[in-house]
Amino acid sequence: MKKIGIIGATGVVGQEMINCLYDRNFPMSELRLFASARSAGKKVSTPKGELTIEEFSVEEAKKSDIVLMAVSGSFAKEYAPQITEGDAIVIDNSSAFRMDNDKPLVVPEVNAKDLKNAKIIANPNCTTAILAVALYPIYKEFGLKKTIVSTYQATSGAGYEAMMELENETRNYLEGKEVSCDKFPSPIPFNLIPRIDIMTDNNYSKEEMKVVNETRKIFHNSELQISCTAVRIPTFRAHAESVTIETERPINPEKVRDILKNAKGVEVIDDPKNWQFPMPLTASKKYNVEIGRIRQNIIFNEYGLDFFVCGDQLLKGAALNAVQIAENIV
Ligand SMILES: NC(=O)c1ccc[n+]([C@@H]2O[C@H](COP(=O)([O-])OP(=O)(O)OC[C@H]3O[C@@H](n4cnc5c(N)ncnc54)[C@H](OP(=O)(O)O)[C@@H]3O)[C@@H](O)[C@H]2O)c1
């Protein structure tokens, strides 16, 4: 039994961490919830009774065996090394450590073996984790020459306040009031924004380059040819991704469906004639990543495939993946 701490417990990821730990019967003797001074004293109900949010301090967080961190990159950079000076292990959801050579970046269905005895473990970017769990079984069987991804990302990917901006500004729009924006650079209701995070020198956004670099690290293939266009859309929850691949070996949809039926963490929903395919509404609050619209690509023919994935980015893209990592180290 482990003593668990969650830092950022009032955020959208932190709240899902609490749910996942109880729902999966994680073997814990204690759960402590930390956030900023703003939230200290707030009550959170859990299946095992009410817990009180504590103001974060290194001294208190250090007393946990495993600390799940869901704050910001700068916060993680400052505090994760201090918390792990003792026996505690930190599993961090920010981008702070993902590309550090000495820190594992883990999607348990793909590379749990990278965990070894690390003290700080990085959870991947949400879009990357959802893609990796669906793409890896295909990569292993058929090899990948090229992978081209376009994303449709929910507002909760930018945090609780961003999700509320969608709700509040949609109401303003429908009531004929002025629509403004704060968490997003443009109004999000009835719009989409083809840029997530800052731009980088090669004219891809940082979010897009996270998908490229993190997938390479998780797959242990620094040469993987992959590109991404990341787009924010006005949904609350679950990211969708359209994926086109060119493979090294011949591929066809039937074989892929068969392989994915036995793969962990994915669920094939692929009956488009009957309107059955992955969607944010069906993928929300679900642990498995949905995959469908699996079809032979008409450019690469027997060496190519198109498919569509949709996964709950608060779960597989964040909280669930972090709890699965914790399950692997107990
Ligand atoms: N949202 C997603 O889909 C997603 C997916 C993967 C990874 N992530 C990453 O996960 C992290 C959390 O994201 P989120 O979406 O959950 O954000 P969020 O909803 O904005 O929550 C942020 C959390 O951080 C806490 N916090 C802020 N400053 C703090 C401080 N000085 N000390 C202690 N706690 C502090 C907040 O506490 P208060 O309530 O007290 O302010 C809140 O609990 C980020 O690094 C994000 O990039 C998010």
Side-chain angles (χ1 to χ4, degrees):
M1 301 285 261
K2 297 288 178 191
K3 289 189 266 182
I4 306 294
I6 298 176
I7 311 176
T10 52
V12 277
V13 173
Q15 287 172 28
E16 290 301 339
M17 286 170 163
I18 301 170
N19 295 338
C20 283
L21 286 166
Y22 284 111
D23 184 53
R24 297 169 70 85
N25 282 321
F26 189 88
M28 55 187 177
S29 55
E30 174 186 277
L31 177 61
R32 292 180 69 181
L33 305 179
F34 300 99
S36 75
R38 292 179 289 274
S39 308
K42 276 188 190 163
K43 306 283 181 201
V44 176
S45 60
T46 78
K48 295 273 163 73
E50 204 169 64
L51 292 175
T52 305
I53 300 284
E54 301 175 56
E55 181 178 354
F56 163 76
S57 74
V58 172
E59 293 65 37
E60 292 307 310
K62 265 178 145 170
K63 294 177 184 166
S64 299
D65 299 311
I66 300 174
V67 174
L68 306 178
M69 202 179 257
V71 189
S72 62
S74 53
F75 181 93
K77 274 215 166 89
E78 181 168 359
Y79 294 113
Q82 297 181 39
I83 293 169
T84 52
E85 272 168 11
D87 293 332
I89 291 171
V90 167
I91 301 170
D92 178 46
N93 271 262
S94 80
S95 58
F97 306 110
R98 290 178 190 153
M99 297 311 296
D100 286 10
N101 285 334
D102 62 341
K103 300 195 182 56
L105 175 68
V106 173
V107 173
E109 291 87 347
V110 178
N111 62 334
K113 63 180 183 331
D114 290 346
L115 287 169
K116 299 191 178 108
N117 294 318
K119 295 292 301 277
I120 298 178
I121 299 154
N123 215 40
N125 160 271
C126 42
T127 313
T128 309
I130 290 164
L131 176 69
V133 79
L135 187 62
Y136 190 69
I138 300 173
Y139 167 65
K140 267 182 52 183
E141 185 70 22
F142 304 101
L144 287 173
K145 272 193 182 161
K146 298 187 181 96
T147 303
I148 298 167
V149 184
S150 297
T151 75
Y152 310 76
Q153 299 186 215
T155 51
S156 58
Y160 177 76
E161 287 175 11
M163 183 174 67
M164 292 318 292
E165 185 164 308
L166 171 64
E167 182 172 324
N168 295 331
E169 298 305 327
T170 301
R171 192 173 295 117
N172 284 341
Y173 181 97
L174 294 174
E175 289 174 358
K177 294 180 186 158
E178 192 188 331
V179 177
S180 59
C181 53
D182 175 33
K183 291 288 157 191
F184 295 110
S186 306
I188 190 69
F190 307 101
N191 194 15
L192 55 79
I193 303 172
R195 174 186 149 184
I196 298 177
D197 210 328
I198 58 172
M199 295 305 293
T200 69
D201 289 345
N202 66 359
N203 289 324
Y204 281 76
S205 69
K206 195 171 169 196
E207 179 82 359
E208 291 160 349
M209 292 312 293
K210 284 176 187 170
V211 172
V212 172
N213 295 322
E214 294 181 21
T215 308
R216 287 176 175 165
K217 180 168 173 178
I218 294 162
F219 285 15
H220 289 264
N221 181 350
S222 57
E223 304 295 313
L224 195 73
Q225 296 299 295
I226 175 167
S227 87
C228 177
T229 300
V231 182
R232 184 76 67 196
I233 62 162
T235 51
F236 285 124
R237 187 168 171 149
H239 290 351
E241 305 178 34
S242 166
V243 186
T244 297
I245 55 173
E246 185 188 9
T247 55
E248 283 169 356
R249 295 178 281 285
I251 188 168
N252 69 60
E254 292 69 36
K255 273 196 204 163
V256 169
R257 282 189 207 99
D258 270 357
I259 287 165
L260 291 173
K261 270 177 196 149
N262 298 316
K264 282 190 188 145
V266 293
E267 178 182 344
V268 178
I269 302 183
D270 199 15
D271 185 7
K273 288 197 175 117
N274 290 309
W275 300 93
Q276 298 297 307
F277 28 62
M279 290 186 289
L281 283 184
T282 51
S284 287
K285 305 201 174 178
K286 197 187 259 187
Y287 286 159
N288 284 340
V289 169
E290 298 181 345
I291 176 164
R293 296 298 323 278
I294 301 169
R295 60 206 189 274
Q296 201 85 57
N297 176 273
I298 55 173
I299 298 171
F300 301 126
N301 300 309
E302 70 266 40
Y303 287 91
L305 204 78
D306 294 304
F307 56 91
F308 198 73
V309 297
C310 196
D312 190 321
Q313 97 290 348
L314 295 174
L315 294 176
K316 187 60 206 169
L320 170 67
N321 199 73
V323 170
Q324 288 176 309
I325 290 172
E327 289 168 351
N328 273 272
I329 56 180
V330 292

